[in-house]
Amino acid sequence: MIVDLTLPVRAGMTVVPGDPEVRVRPALTVPEDGVAVTALELGSHTGTHVDAPAHLIPGGRTVDRVDPAELVGEALVLRVEAVMPGESITVDRLGALPSRVPPIVLVATGWDRHVGEPLALRHPVLAEDAVRTLMDRGMHVLGVDTLSPDPTLQDAPLALPVHAAVLGADGLIVENLARLTELPARVRVGILPLLLDGGDAAPVRAVAWT
């Protein structure tokens, strides 16, 4: 069975404050033009997307330099129950971790249920100790069902310790995943970004199967 882990791209969907708003409109229509074509205006971090190192790291890899094999394979799903708005998820909250984890780790909080609500911006975040532990045990790709593993609502200058840790190690971050709480602890996933030349990030279609 295939489980779609992707949020639909819709006009006016929630984005990180300051990011481009999403606009979707008909450019051509069948009655008037004989074909239907949709015009899209969106940022590279729209909806379910992958952050490449270039998002934060000067000279870091861009999306077009990411090998698709990095985003396809076995994943460990860590389900964190009863998280609170803005909660910092420490390593203890992740439960018993294996000594080695697969390269792809997905943290399931269920926060995708708040998509389109103001509460989506007040999502839980990952503590540095949790991220460092996962990286030490083999994580290369971090996936979350929130807008970010770092706080979204914060004043400048931005503090993005999770991004700095993962992207600084040439890893990848997948944000705005959906339905992670429906998955078993071990799954196979495929997360394929648009091939944006020089892109700091790109929307993806993400799926899981057992």
Side-chain angles (χ1 to χ4, degrees), residues 1-16:
M1 180 179 69
I2 298 290
V3 179
D4 197 333
L5 308 178
T6 317
L7 293 180
V9 174
R10 295 190 175 103
M13 68 187 299
T14 301
V15 298
V16 171

Side-chain angles (χ1 to χ4, degrees), residues 73-86:
E74 183 187 9
L76 173 67
V77 181
L78 299 174
R79 187 163 180 165
V80 185
E81 304 285 353
V83 287
M84 301 298 292

